[in-house]
Amino acid sequence: MSLNNETGLDPDGIRVRPVPGLVAADYFAPGYFVWAVLIENLTRIGYEDKNMYMAAYDWRISFQNTEVRDQTLSRIKSNIELMVATNGGKKAVVIPHSMGALYFLHFIKWVEAPAPMGGGGGPDWCAKHIKAVMNIGGPFLGVPKAVSGLFSSEAKDVAVARAIAPGVLAKDLLRLPLQHLMRMTRTWDSTMSMIPKGGDTIWGGLDWSPEEGYNCNLKKENRNSYQVVDQNGTASEGCTTRMAHYGRIISFGKDVAEADPSEIERSDFRDALKGHNLANSTCDDLWTEYQDMGFAGIKAVADYKVYTAGSVIYLLRFVAPKMMKRGDAHFSHGIADNLDDPLYDHYKYWSNPLETKLPNAPDMEIFSMYGVGIPTERSYIYKLTPTSDQCYIPFQVDTSADSGKEEASCLKGGVYTTDGDETVPVVSAGYMCAKGWRGTTRFNPSGIRTYNREYDHAPPNLLEGRGLKSGAHVDIMGNFALIEDVVRVAAGATGEELGGDQVHSDIFKWSEKINLRL
Protein backbone atom coordinates (compact mmCIF):
# COMPACT_ATOMS: atom_id res chain seq x y z
CA MET A 1 0.00 0.00 0.00
CA SER A 2 3.00 2.34 0.25
CA LEU A 3 3.69 4.70 -2.65
CA ASN A 4 6.93 6.03 -4.07
CA ASN A 5 8.30 8.47 -1.49
CA GLU A 6 9.72 10.74 -4.20
CA THR A 7 6.82 10.91 -6.68
CA GLY A 8 3.77 10.02 -4.60
CA LEU A 9 2.81 7.55 -7.35
CA ASP A 10 3.28 3.80 -7.88
CA PRO A 11 6.42 2.15 -6.57
CA ASP A 12 8.37 0.15 -9.11
CA GLY A 13 6.59 -3.07 -10.02
CA ILE A 14 3.49 -2.51 -7.85
CA ARG A 15 0.04 -1.34 -8.96
CA VAL A 16 -2.91 -1.01 -6.57
CA ARG A 17 -6.12 0.33 -8.10
CA PRO A 18 -9.64 1.15 -6.85
CA VAL A 19 -12.41 -1.33 -7.67
CA PRO A 20 -14.88 0.14 -10.21
CA GLY A 21 -18.65 0.22 -9.88
CA LEU A 22 -21.11 0.24 -6.98
CA VAL A 23 -19.32 -2.69 -5.35
CA ALA A 24 -16.30 -0.44 -4.77
CA ALA A 25 -17.69 0.75 -1.46
CA ASP A 26 -21.05 -0.84 -0.77
CA TYR A 27 -19.50 -2.97 2.00
CA PHE A 28 -16.10 -2.64 3.62
CA ALA A 29 -16.29 -6.29 4.65
CA PRO A 30 -19.17 -8.80 4.66
CA GLY A 31 -21.85 -7.43 6.96
CA TYR A 32 -20.15 -4.03 7.45
CA PHE A 33 -21.94 -1.56 5.17
CA VAL A 34 -20.61 1.72 3.87
CA TRP A 35 -22.80 2.85 0.93
CA ALA A 36 -24.96 -0.29 0.71
CA VAL A 37 -27.94 0.95 2.77
CA LEU A 38 -28.12 4.23 0.87
CA ILE A 39 -27.80 2.45 -2.49
CA GLU A 40 -30.64 0.08 -1.57
CA ASN A 41 -32.92 2.96 -0.62
CA LEU A 42 -32.16 4.83 -3.84
CA THR A 43 -33.07 1.72 -5.86
CA ARG A 44 -36.48 1.77 -4.17
CA ILE A 45 -37.29 5.09 -5.84
CA GLY A 46 -36.12 3.96 -9.27
CA TYR A 47 -32.36 4.37 -9.37
CA GLU A 48 -30.20 1.73 -11.04
CA ASP A 49 -26.83 1.34 -12.75
CA LYS A 50 -27.72 3.58 -15.69
CA ASN A 51 -28.40 6.62 -13.51
CA MET A 52 -26.32 5.91 -10.40
CA TYR A 53 -22.51 5.97 -10.52
CA MET A 54 -19.94 5.22 -7.80
CA ALA A 55 -16.95 7.51 -8.35
CA ALA A 56 -14.27 5.31 -6.81
CA TYR A 57 -10.84 6.93 -6.65
CA ASP A 58 -7.45 6.10 -5.16
CA TRP A 59 -7.62 7.98 -1.88
CA ARG A 60 -3.87 7.56 -1.27
CA ILE A 61 -2.61 9.85 -4.02
CA SER A 62 -3.09 13.59 -4.47
CA PHE A 63 -6.34 14.67 -6.09
CA GLN A 64 -4.70 16.01 -9.25
CA ASN A 65 -2.61 12.85 -9.57
CA THR A 66 -5.78 10.74 -9.74
CA GLU A 67 -6.26 12.42 -13.11
CA VAL A 68 -2.61 12.12 -14.14
CA ARG A 69 -2.45 8.40 -13.37
CA ASP A 70 -6.02 7.11 -13.73
CA GLN A 71 -8.02 9.89 -15.49
CA THR A 72 -10.49 9.65 -12.58
CA LEU A 73 -11.63 13.29 -12.84
CA SER A 74 -12.30 12.87 -16.56
CA ARG A 75 -14.31 9.72 -15.87
CA ILE A 76 -16.47 11.56 -13.31
CA LYS A 77 -17.06 14.38 -15.81
CA SER A 78 -18.00 11.96 -18.60
CA ASN A 79 -20.31 9.90 -16.39
CA ILE A 80 -22.18 12.93 -15.08
CA GLU A 81 -22.58 14.28 -18.63
CA LEU A 82 -23.86 10.90 -19.80
CA MET A 83 -26.37 10.57 -16.96
CA VAL A 84 -27.72 14.09 -17.52
CA ALA A 85 -27.98 13.55 -21.28
CA THR A 86 -29.75 10.18 -20.99
CA ASN A 87 -32.18 11.22 -18.24
CA GLY A 88 -34.00 14.03 -19.96
CA GLY A 89 -31.58 16.74 -18.87
CA LYS A 90 -32.23 16.21 -15.18
CA LYS A 91 -29.21 17.41 -13.21
CA ALA A 92 -27.13 15.14 -11.01
CA VAL A 93 -27.18 14.92 -7.23
CA VAL A 94 -23.64 14.27 -5.97
CA ILE A 95 -23.13 12.62 -2.57
CA PRO A 96 -19.51 12.73 -1.37
CA HIS A 97 -18.45 11.23 1.97
CA SER A 98 -15.50 12.28 4.16
CA MET A 99 -12.39 13.05 2.05
CA GLY A 100 -14.66 12.70 -0.97
CA ALA A 101 -16.06 16.14 -0.09
CA LEU A 102 -12.60 17.67 -0.56
CA TYR A 103 -12.08 15.59 -3.68
CA PHE A 104 -15.32 16.82 -5.25
CA LEU A 105 -14.52 20.41 -4.25
CA HIS A 106 -11.33 19.92 -6.28
CA PHE A 107 -13.38 18.41 -9.10
CA ILE A 108 -15.78 21.36 -9.48
CA LYS A 109 -12.80 23.66 -9.99
CA TRP A 110 -11.00 21.19 -12.25
CA VAL A 111 -14.00 20.51 -14.48
CA GLU A 112 -14.46 24.18 -15.40
CA ALA A 113 -10.76 25.11 -15.63
CA PRO A 114 -9.09 25.22 -19.04
CA ALA A 115 -7.04 22.26 -20.25
CA PRO A 116 -4.44 20.95 -19.74
CA MET A 117 -4.58 21.62 -15.98
CA GLY A 118 -8.37 21.39 -15.90
CA GLY A 119 -11.16 19.52 -17.65
CA GLY A 120 -12.11 22.31 -20.06
CA GLY A 121 -15.83 22.15 -19.29
CA GLY A 122 -16.24 25.92 -19.28
CA PRO A 123 -17.59 28.34 -16.63
CA ASP A 124 -21.18 27.05 -16.75
CA TRP A 125 -20.52 23.31 -16.52
CA CYS A 126 -21.64 22.98 -12.89
CA ALA A 127 -24.72 25.13 -13.49
CA LYS A 128 -25.74 22.83 -16.36
CA HIS A 129 -25.04 19.48 -14.73
CA ILE A 130 -25.33 19.59 -10.91
CA LYS A 131 -28.54 20.00 -8.92
CA ALA A 132 -27.09 19.51 -5.45
CA VAL A 133 -23.96 18.41 -3.60
CA MET A 134 -24.83 16.55 -0.39
CA ASN A 135 -21.59 16.29 1.57
CA ILE A 136 -21.63 13.67 4.36
CA GLY A 137 -19.06 14.17 7.12
CA GLY A 138 -17.02 16.53 4.94
CA PRO A 139 -13.76 17.70 6.60
CA PHE A 140 -13.77 20.96 4.64
CA LEU A 141 -11.32 22.71 6.97
CA GLY A 142 -9.29 19.62 7.84
CA VAL A 143 -9.08 17.53 11.00
CA PRO A 144 -6.65 17.84 13.94
CA LYS A 145 -6.22 14.06 14.04
CA ALA A 146 -4.40 14.35 10.69
CA VAL A 147 -1.71 16.30 12.55
CA SER A 148 -1.29 13.65 15.25
CA GLY A 149 -1.31 10.94 12.57
CA LEU A 150 1.47 12.54 10.56
CA PHE A 151 3.42 13.64 13.65
CA SER A 152 3.42 10.39 15.63
CA SER A 153 1.08 7.91 13.88
CA GLU A 154 -1.29 8.27 16.80
CA ALA A 155 -4.86 9.24 17.44
CA LYS A 156 -7.14 8.81 20.41
CA ASP A 157 -7.62 5.07 19.89
CA VAL A 158 -3.87 4.37 19.90
CA ALA A 159 -3.36 6.60 22.93
CA VAL A 160 -6.14 4.80 24.79
CA ALA A 161 -4.62 1.41 23.94
CA ARG A 162 -1.25 2.54 25.24
CA ALA A 163 -2.84 3.83 28.45
CA ILE A 164 -4.66 0.53 29.05
CA ALA A 165 -1.53 -1.61 28.71
CA PRO A 166 1.51 0.67 28.94
CA GLY A 167 3.97 -2.07 29.88
CA VAL A 168 3.09 -4.15 26.82
CA LEU A 169 2.15 -1.70 24.11
CA ALA A 170 5.15 0.53 24.69
CA LYS A 171 7.28 -2.35 23.44
CA ASP A 172 7.47 -3.87 19.97
CA LEU A 173 3.81 -4.94 19.94
CA LEU A 174 2.75 -1.34 19.32
CA ARG A 175 6.00 0.51 18.60
CA LEU A 176 6.98 -1.39 15.46
CA PRO A 177 3.54 -1.29 13.80
CA LEU A 178 3.40 2.48 14.42
CA GLN A 179 6.75 2.95 12.72
CA HIS A 180 5.65 0.84 9.74
CA LEU A 181 2.37 2.82 9.68
CA MET A 182 4.24 6.13 9.65
CA ARG A 183 6.56 4.97 6.87
CA MET A 184 3.52 4.00 4.79
CA THR A 185 1.13 6.90 5.43
CA ARG A 186 3.82 9.50 4.87
CA THR A 187 3.94 8.33 1.25
CA TRP A 188 0.22 9.08 0.84
CA ASP A 189 -0.07 12.64 -0.43
CA SER A 190 -3.82 12.68 0.16
CA THR A 191 -3.31 12.74 3.94
CA MET A 192 -1.97 16.28 3.59
CA SER A 193 -5.36 17.42 2.27
CA MET A 194 -6.67 16.79 5.80
CA ILE A 195 -4.26 19.11 7.65
CA PRO A 196 -6.28 21.94 9.31
CA LYS A 197 -6.88 24.85 6.94
CA GLY A 198 -7.19 28.52 7.75
CA GLY A 199 -4.60 28.61 10.52
CA ASP A 200 -5.31 30.48 13.73
CA THR A 201 -8.12 32.48 12.08
CA ILE A 202 -10.27 29.34 11.92
CA TRP A 203 -8.93 27.07 14.66
CA GLY A 204 -7.84 29.60 17.28
CA GLY A 205 -4.54 30.61 18.82
CA LEU A 206 -2.86 30.43 22.20
CA ASP A 207 -5.63 32.37 23.93
CA TRP A 208 -8.84 31.57 22.03
CA SER A 209 -10.73 29.09 19.88
CA PRO A 210 -14.26 29.07 18.45
CA GLU A 211 -15.40 26.24 20.75
CA GLU A 212 -13.99 27.50 24.04
CA GLY A 213 -16.59 27.00 26.74
CA TYR A 214 -17.88 23.77 25.25
CA ASN A 215 -18.96 21.25 27.89
CA CYS A 216 -18.17 17.69 26.83
CA ASN A 217 -20.63 16.33 29.40
CA LEU A 218 -23.49 18.57 28.41
CA LYS A 219 -26.68 16.59 29.02
CA LYS A 220 -28.65 15.69 25.94
CA GLU A 221 -31.72 17.55 27.15
CA ASN A 222 -29.62 20.72 27.45
CA ARG A 223 -28.27 20.59 23.91
CA ASN A 224 -29.54 23.27 21.58
CA SER A 225 -32.86 22.43 20.00
CA TYR A 226 -32.25 22.57 16.30
CA GLN A 227 -32.05 26.06 14.85
CA VAL A 228 -33.43 27.33 11.55
CA VAL A 229 -31.38 30.12 10.01
CA ASP A 230 -32.00 31.93 6.72
CA GLN A 231 -29.31 32.27 4.08
CA ASN A 232 -27.99 35.54 5.54
CA GLY A 233 -28.99 35.17 9.20
CA THR A 234 -27.45 34.24 12.49
CA ALA A 235 -28.59 31.97 15.29
CA SER A 236 -29.21 32.44 18.98
CA GLU A 237 -26.36 31.58 21.29
CA GLY A 238 -26.11 28.29 23.15
CA CYS A 239 -24.73 27.65 26.61
CA THR A 240 -21.10 27.91 27.66
CA THR A 241 -19.12 26.44 30.51
CA ARG A 242 -15.44 26.25 31.39
CA MET A 243 -12.55 27.14 29.09
CA ALA A 244 -10.29 24.75 27.21
CA HIS A 245 -7.49 26.04 25.01
CA TYR A 246 -8.48 24.16 21.87
CA GLY A 247 -6.36 26.45 19.71
CA ARG A 248 -3.25 24.74 21.08
CA ILE A 249 -3.42 21.70 18.82
CA ILE A 250 -0.17 20.28 20.21
CA SER A 251 1.15 21.13 23.69
CA PHE A 252 4.22 19.57 25.26
CA GLY A 253 2.91 19.00 28.79
CA LYS A 254 -0.42 19.55 30.51
CA ASP A 255 1.00 22.60 32.26
CA VAL A 256 1.66 24.20 28.87
CA ALA A 257 -1.82 23.29 27.62
CA GLU A 258 -3.39 25.07 30.59
CA ALA A 259 -0.95 27.97 31.11
CA ASP A 260 -1.69 31.62 30.49
CA PRO A 261 -0.10 32.61 27.15
CA SER A 262 2.16 35.12 28.92
CA GLU A 263 3.67 32.30 30.99
CA ILE A 264 4.76 30.17 28.01
CA GLU A 265 8.43 30.61 27.12
CA ARG A 266 9.36 29.23 23.73
CA SER A 267 12.40 29.00 21.50
CA ASP A 268 11.84 28.88 17.74
CA PHE A 269 12.59 25.47 16.21
CA ARG A 270 12.62 26.46 12.54
CA ASP A 271 16.27 27.50 12.40
CA ALA A 272 17.46 24.77 14.74
CA LEU A 273 20.27 22.50 13.65
CA LYS A 274 19.07 18.95 13.27
CA GLY A 275 22.19 17.50 14.80
CA HIS A 276 23.83 14.23 13.91
CA ASN A 277 22.07 11.48 12.00
CA LEU A 278 20.46 9.10 14.50
CA ALA A 279 20.08 6.23 12.10
CA ASN A 280 22.16 3.15 11.71
CA SER A 281 21.91 0.13 9.48
CA THR A 282 19.48 -1.61 11.83
CA CYS A 283 16.60 0.73 10.93
CA ASP A 284 16.12 -0.69 7.42
CA ASP A 285 12.37 -0.73 6.64
CA LEU A 286 11.57 1.20 9.83
CA TRP A 287 13.25 4.29 8.45
CA THR A 288 11.28 7.53 8.96
CA GLU A 289 12.41 11.10 8.51
CA TYR A 290 12.89 11.36 12.26
CA GLN A 291 16.16 9.52 11.88
CA ASP A 292 17.52 12.60 10.08
CA MET A 293 16.67 15.02 12.89
CA GLY A 294 19.15 14.10 15.60
CA PHE A 295 18.66 14.80 19.27
CA ALA A 296 19.11 18.55 18.71
CA GLY A 297 16.22 18.71 16.27
CA ILE A 298 13.98 16.62 18.51
CA LYS A 299 14.75 18.84 21.50
CA ALA A 300 14.06 21.97 19.46
CA VAL A 301 10.57 20.70 18.58
CA ALA A 302 9.75 20.02 22.24
CA ASP A 303 11.21 23.37 23.37
CA TYR A 304 8.76 25.27 21.17
CA LYS A 305 6.17 24.02 23.68
CA VAL A 306 2.88 24.66 21.86
CA TYR A 307 1.66 24.58 18.27
CA THR A 308 -1.47 26.16 16.85
CA ALA A 309 -3.01 25.43 13.45
CA GLY A 310 -0.79 28.11 11.94
CA SER A 311 2.46 26.67 13.30
CA VAL A 312 1.74 22.96 12.79
CA ILE A 313 2.44 23.49 9.08
CA TYR A 314 5.97 24.61 9.92
CA LEU A 315 6.28 21.76 12.43
CA LEU A 316 5.44 19.16 9.78
CA ARG A 317 7.82 20.77 7.31
CA PHE A 318 10.55 20.52 9.93
CA VAL A 319 9.97 16.91 10.98
CA ALA A 320 8.95 15.54 7.56
CA PRO A 321 10.46 17.76 4.85
CA LYS A 322 10.34 15.12 2.10
CA MET A 323 6.66 14.42 2.71
CA MET A 324 5.71 18.09 2.93
CA LYS A 325 7.68 19.01 -0.19
CA ARG A 326 5.38 16.70 -2.15
CA GLY A 327 2.32 17.85 -0.19
CA ASP A 328 3.01 21.55 -0.68
CA ALA A 329 3.07 20.95 -4.44
CA HIS A 330 -0.49 19.61 -4.34
CA PHE A 331 -2.28 21.22 -1.39
CA SER A 332 -2.46 24.56 0.39
CA HIS A 333 -3.83 25.39 3.84
CA GLY A 334 -4.06 29.17 3.98
CA ILE A 335 -6.66 31.88 3.39
CA ALA A 336 -6.72 33.82 0.12
CA ASP A 337 -6.45 37.61 0.30
CA ASN A 338 -7.55 38.09 -3.31
CA LEU A 339 -9.38 35.19 -4.95
CA ASP A 340 -9.05 36.90 -8.35
CA ASP A 341 -5.27 36.58 -8.21
CA PRO A 342 -4.15 34.20 -11.01
CA LEU A 343 -2.12 32.42 -8.32
CA TYR A 344 -5.31 30.61 -7.26
CA ASP A 345 -5.88 29.15 -10.72
CA HIS A 346 -3.42 26.40 -9.75
CA TYR A 347 -4.80 23.01 -8.71
CA LYS A 348 -3.02 23.03 -5.33
CA TYR A 349 -5.65 25.49 -4.06
CA TRP A 350 -8.77 23.80 -5.44
CA SER A 351 -9.59 21.59 -2.43
CA ASN A 352 -9.24 24.44 0.07
CA PRO A 353 -12.59 26.27 0.39
CA LEU A 354 -10.74 29.30 1.80
CA GLU A 355 -8.61 29.70 -1.33
CA THR A 356 -11.12 29.09 -4.08
CA LYS A 357 -14.53 30.27 -5.28
CA LEU A 358 -17.61 28.13 -5.72
CA PRO A 359 -18.80 27.97 -9.35
CA ASN A 360 -21.25 30.37 -10.94
CA ALA A 361 -24.25 28.12 -10.38
CA PRO A 362 -26.92 30.00 -8.41
CA ASP A 363 -29.50 27.21 -8.75
CA MET A 364 -27.16 24.57 -7.32
CA GLU A 365 -27.45 23.70 -3.62
CA ILE A 366 -24.78 22.55 -1.19
CA PHE A 367 -25.49 20.57 1.98
CA SER A 368 -23.20 19.87 4.90
CA MET A 369 -24.56 16.71 6.53
CA TYR A 370 -22.74 15.44 9.59
CA GLY A 371 -23.11 13.86 12.98
CA VAL A 372 -22.82 15.68 16.31
CA GLY A 373 -22.87 14.69 19.94
CA ILE A 374 -19.76 12.47 19.93
CA PRO A 375 -16.44 13.49 21.56
CA THR A 376 -14.13 14.33 18.67
CA GLU A 377 -10.36 14.87 18.75
CA ARG A 378 -9.39 18.54 18.77
CA SER A 379 -5.97 18.93 20.43
CA TYR A 380 -3.25 16.84 22.08
CA ILE A 381 -0.78 16.82 24.94
CA TYR A 382 2.56 15.32 23.94
CA LYS A 383 5.75 14.19 25.62
CA LEU A 384 9.11 12.91 24.43
CA THR A 385 9.24 9.14 24.02
CA PRO A 386 11.40 7.55 26.75
CA THR A 387 13.62 5.22 24.74
CA SER A 388 17.18 4.78 23.55
CA ASP A 389 16.11 3.05 20.33
CA GLN A 390 17.67 4.92 17.41
CA CYS A 391 14.81 4.03 15.02
CA TYR A 392 11.98 5.16 17.26
CA ILE A 393 9.24 7.81 16.84
CA PRO A 394 10.46 10.43 19.34
CA PHE A 395 7.09 11.95 20.26
CA GLN A 396 3.94 10.39 21.69
CA VAL A 397 0.63 11.47 23.21
CA ASP A 398 0.95 11.76 26.99
CA THR A 399 -1.82 9.42 28.09
CA SER A 400 -1.25 10.33 31.75
CA ALA A 401 -2.60 13.82 31.08
CA ASP A 402 -6.16 13.74 32.30
CA SER A 403 -8.73 16.03 33.85
CA GLY A 404 -9.73 13.48 36.48
CA LYS A 405 -13.29 13.91 37.63
CA GLU A 406 -13.77 17.52 36.55
CA GLU A 407 -17.32 17.37 35.28
CA ALA A 408 -17.10 19.77 32.34
CA SER A 409 -13.56 19.02 31.19
CA CYS A 410 -12.83 17.60 27.77
CA LEU A 411 -9.35 16.18 28.47
CA LYS A 412 -8.91 12.43 28.67
CA GLY A 413 -5.80 10.37 28.03
CA GLY A 414 -3.88 13.30 26.61
CA VAL A 415 -6.58 14.22 24.09
CA TYR A 416 -8.94 17.20 24.26
CA THR A 417 -12.26 16.54 22.53
CA THR A 418 -15.01 18.79 21.22
CA ASP A 419 -18.32 18.25 19.44
CA GLY A 420 -18.35 16.30 16.19
CA ASP A 421 -18.80 12.90 14.59
CA GLU A 422 -15.80 11.22 16.30
CA THR A 423 -13.53 12.13 13.38
CA VAL A 424 -14.48 15.58 12.05
CA PRO A 425 -15.07 18.47 14.49
CA VAL A 426 -18.22 20.51 13.96
CA VAL A 427 -16.24 23.61 12.96
CA SER A 428 -14.62 21.78 10.05
CA ALA A 429 -17.77 20.06 8.83
CA GLY A 430 -20.15 22.96 9.32
CA TYR A 431 -18.46 26.37 9.10
CA MET A 432 -18.45 26.84 5.33
CA CYS A 433 -22.17 26.15 4.90
CA ALA A 434 -23.03 28.01 8.11
CA LYS A 435 -21.08 31.18 7.33
CA GLY A 436 -18.19 30.97 4.84
CA TRP A 437 -20.49 30.17 1.90
CA ARG A 438 -23.76 31.41 3.45
CA GLY A 439 -25.46 33.96 1.22
CA THR A 440 -23.30 35.85 -1.27
CA THR A 441 -19.68 35.95 -0.12
CA ARG A 442 -16.32 36.21 -1.83
CA PHE A 443 -16.09 32.41 -1.57
CA ASN A 444 -19.62 32.02 -3.01
CA PRO A 445 -20.10 34.91 -5.43
CA SER A 446 -23.19 33.50 -7.15
CA GLY A 447 -25.04 32.92 -3.87
CA ILE A 448 -25.42 29.14 -4.05
CA ARG A 449 -27.81 28.18 -1.26
CA THR A 450 -26.20 26.23 1.56
CA TYR A 451 -27.69 24.14 4.35
CA ASN A 452 -26.40 22.56 7.55
CA ARG A 453 -28.12 19.27 8.33
CA GLU A 454 -26.90 17.83 11.64
CA TYR A 455 -27.82 14.42 13.04
CA ASP A 456 -27.63 14.14 16.82
CA HIS A 457 -25.96 10.87 17.75
CA ALA A 458 -28.00 8.26 19.60
CA PRO A 459 -26.21 5.06 20.68
CA PRO A 460 -27.71 1.91 19.12
CA ASN A 461 -29.65 -0.65 21.08
CA LEU A 462 -28.92 -4.36 20.85
CA LEU A 463 -31.28 -4.86 17.92
CA GLU A 464 -29.96 -2.06 15.74
CA GLY A 465 -26.43 -3.23 14.98
CA ARG A 466 -24.52 -0.03 14.22
CA GLY A 467 -27.57 2.12 14.89
CA LEU A 468 -30.42 3.75 13.01
CA LYS A 469 -29.65 7.17 14.53
CA SER A 470 -25.86 7.07 14.63
CA GLY A 471 -23.92 10.25 14.06
CA ALA A 472 -20.54 8.48 13.85
CA HIS A 473 -18.40 9.29 10.85
CA VAL A 474 -19.01 6.03 8.93
CA ASP A 475 -22.05 4.62 10.72
CA ILE A 476 -24.01 7.77 9.79
CA MET A 477 -24.31 6.20 6.33
CA GLY A 478 -27.03 4.02 7.89
CA ASN A 479 -28.77 6.90 9.70
CA PHE A 480 -32.42 6.81 8.65
CA ALA A 481 -32.90 10.60 8.90
CA LEU A 482 -29.87 11.23 6.68
CA ILE A 483 -31.00 8.59 4.18
CA GLU A 484 -34.45 10.20 4.03
CA ASP A 485 -32.87 13.60 3.32
CA VAL A 486 -30.72 12.17 0.52
CA VAL A 487 -33.60 10.21 -1.04
CA ARG A 488 -35.90 13.24 -0.98
CA VAL A 489 -33.34 15.47 -2.73
CA ALA A 490 -32.57 12.67 -5.21
CA ALA A 491 -36.31 12.55 -5.92
CA GLY A 492 -36.41 16.29 -6.64
CA ALA A 493 -36.80 18.11 -3.32
CA THR A 494 -34.94 21.32 -2.48
CA GLY A 495 -33.21 22.27 0.74
CA GLU A 496 -36.11 24.49 1.71
CA GLU A 497 -38.49 21.56 1.24
CA LEU A 498 -36.35 19.54 3.66
CA GLY A 499 -36.91 22.29 6.22
CA GLY A 500 -33.74 24.33 5.71
CA ASP A 501 -31.10 23.99 8.41
CA GLN A 502 -31.35 21.35 11.12
CA VAL A 503 -28.76 22.14 13.78
CA HIS A 504 -28.18 20.67 17.24
CA SER A 505 -24.67 22.00 17.91
CA ASP A 506 -23.37 25.52 18.50
CA ILE A 507 -22.06 25.82 14.94
CA PHE A 508 -23.69 29.19 14.27
CA LYS A 509 -22.42 30.69 17.53
CA TRP A 510 -18.94 29.28 16.94
CA SER A 511 -18.95 30.55 13.35
CA GLU A 512 -19.64 34.07 14.54
CA LYS A 513 -16.45 33.94 16.65
CA ILE A 514 -14.34 33.31 13.53
CA ASN A 515 -13.20 36.66 12.20
CA LEU A 516 -12.86 35.82 8.52
CA ARG A 517 -13.36 38.45 5.82
CA LEU A 518 -16.30 37.34 3.69
Side-chain angles (χ1 to χ4, degrees):
M1 290 295 288
S2 295
L3 295 168
N4 185 296
N5 205 24
E6 299 292 336
T7 66
L9 294 169
D10 293 332
D12 292 341
I14 298 174
R15 286 187 295 172
V16 177
R17 297 292 184 267
V19 175
L22 296 177
V23 297
D26 52 355
Y27 290 92
F28 175 72
Y32 191 94
F33 69 82
V34 182
W35 288 91
V37 179
L38 185 54
I39 291 170
E40 181 180 355
N41 279 275
L42 288 169
T43 64
R44 292 179 179 273
I45 63 168
Y47 280 88
E48 53 184 304
D49 280 351
K50 68 181 181 181
N51 54 14
M52 183 164 50
Y53 166 64
M54 176 76 76
Y57 68 100
D58 190 335
W59 43 261
R60 301 172 302 160
I61 63 180
S62 74
F63 301 158
Q64 191 71 6
N65 272 345
T66 64
E67 176 65 16
V68 171
R69 195 192 72 182
D70 301 334
Q71 293 76 56
T72 305
L73 298 171
S74 292
R75 293 172 193 273
I76 295 173
K77 176 177 181 285
S78 297
N79 274 280
I80 290 176
E81 290 172 345
L82 178 63
M83 286 190 293
V84 171
T86 56
N87 285 276
K90 294 179 181 178
K91 299 178 186 177
V93 175
V94 183
I95 313 164
H97 174 250
S98 194
M99 186 192 287
L102 300 179
Y103 187 73
F104 195 74
L105 190 63
H106 182 100
F107 170 83
I108 62 178
K109 293 297 293 185
W110 174 88
V111 73
E112 294 191 344
M117 188 179 296
D124 58 352
W125 191 94
C126 291
K128 288 180 177 179
H129 294 91
I130 301 176
K131 173 188 187 300
V133 185
M134 307 190 76
N135 300 287
I136 302 175
F140 287 110
L141 300 177
V143 290
K145 70 187 301 181
V147 175
S148 65
L150 292 170
F151 187 53
S152 64
S153 287
E154 288 181 291
K156 185 174 67 173
D157 49 356
V158 174
V160 168
R162 181 183 282 118
I164 292 172
V168 176
L169 295 182
K171 300 185 186 301
D172 286 357
L173 181 63
L174 181 61
R175 181 179 60 80
L176 295 181
L178 287 183
Q179 288 170 264
H180 282 296
L181 181 65
M182 175 173 285
R183 182 179 60 84
M184 177 180 68
T185 57
R186 283 190 176 183
T187 69
W188 297 350
D189 291 352
S190 63
T191 58
M192 284 164 276
S193 72
M194 307 289 281
I195 295 172
K197 302 176 177 69
D200 296 4
T201 300
I202 298 294
W203 295 92
L206 295 181
D207 57 354
W208 83 281
S209 70
E211 309 102 313
E212 280 184 353
Y214 175 68
N215 182 346
C216 287
N217 294 321
L218 195 61
K219 300 299 181 184
K220 192 175 181 70
E221 58 267 27
N222 291 331
R223 291 178 66 86
N224 293 349
S225 58
Y226 70 76
Q227 307 156 355
V228 178
V229 180
D230 65 26
Q231 293 293 299
N232 295 290
T234 58
S236 59
E237 293 193 356
C239 57
T240 59
T241 54
R242 66 171 62 243
M243 299 286 279
H245 297 302
Y246 287 122
R248 305 175 191 184
I249 291 181
I250 288 179
S251 301
F252 276 88
K254 184 181 177 185
D255 56 335
V256 174
E258 297 177 345
D260 185 271
S262 63
E263 300 173 355
I264 302 175
E265 297 182 3
R266 301 192 288 178
S267 56
D268 200 338
F269 65 94
R270 283 172 284 187
D271 295 325
L273 295 175
K274 291 191 176 182
H276 297 292
N277 194 319
L278 283 178
N280 59 33
S281 60
T282 63
C283 290
D284 296 328
D285 288 344
L286 294 177
W287 182 274
T288 70
E289 290 186 79
Y290 280 127
Q291 279 81 57
D292 292 328
M293 287 182 59
F295 292 115
I298 292 168
K299 183 178 183 298
V301 168
D303 286 347
Y304 194 69
K305 302 289 181 63
V306 58
Y307 296 84
T308 63
S311 54
V312 294
I313 301 294
Y314 300 104
L315 169 65
L316 292 173
R317 287 173 181 159
F318 185 79
V319 302
K322 183 178 291 187
M323 175 190 77
M324 289 300 289
K325 182 179 180 181
R326 294 195 324 272
D328 286 340
H330 286 271
F331 299 104
S332 180
H333 304 89
I335 300 173
D337 291 325
N338 176 14
L339 287 165
D340 293 322
D341 190 325
L343 168 75
Y344 296 105
D345 292 337
H346 192 273
Y347 60 75
K348 68 179 287 184
Y349 302 101
W350 292 348
S351 61
N352 182 355
L354 304 175
E355 294 183 304
T356 189
K357 296 179 185 178
L358 290 178
N360 182 20
D363 294 330
M364 192 172 93
E365 295 185 321
I366 297 179
F367 297 79
S368 282
M369 312 168 74
Y370 52 93
V372 297
I374 307 177
T376 302
E377 296 168 53
R378 181 62 165 81
S379 57
Y380 305 85
I381 296 176
Y382 268 86
K383 66 179 181 180
L384 290 174
T385 303
T387 180
S388 59
D389 181 357
Q390 292 189 349
C391 304
Y392 72 123
I393 297 173
F395 310 105
Q396 67 181 59
V397 174
D398 184 358
T399 57
S400 67
D402 208 276
S403 60
K405 296 183 179 179
E406 292 183 42
E407 189 171 323
S409 178
C410 300
L411 173 63
K412 185 175 181 180
V415 181
Y416 283 99
T417 57
T418 185
D419 199 2
D421 69 0
E422 201 170 32
T423 296
V424 184
V426 162
V427 167
S428 179
Y431 172 78
M432 291 310 298
C433 278
K435 186 178 179 184
W437 289 328
R438 182 64 57 117
T440 302
T441 73
R442 67 191 184 105
F443 304 108
N444 181 17
S446 69
I448 293 171
R449 296 180 72 84
T450 63
Y451 302 94
N452 289 68
R453 301 288 292 179
E454 295 184 348
Y455 307 89
D456 203 5
H457 176 72
N461 60 45
L462 293 176
L463 300 178
E464 289 181 354
R466 290 158 60 196
L468 307 180
K469 298 181 179 180
S470 177
H473 188 64
V474 176
D475 292 355
I476 198 172
M477 302 292 282
N479 184 300
F480 272 24
L482 179 142
I483 291 171
E484 181 180 354
D485 285 349
V486 171
V487 168
R488 289 182 64 190
V489 172
T494 65
E496 287 298 322
E497 289 169 334
L498 291 190
D501 297 298
Q502 174 181 281
V503 175
H504 302 276
S505 74
D506 285 328
I507 183 58
F508 288 108
K509 184 187 76 172
W510 293 344
S511 296
E512 288 304 311
K513 292 182 181 180
I514 295 174
N515 185 21
L516 177 66
R517 180 171 63 86
L518 300 177

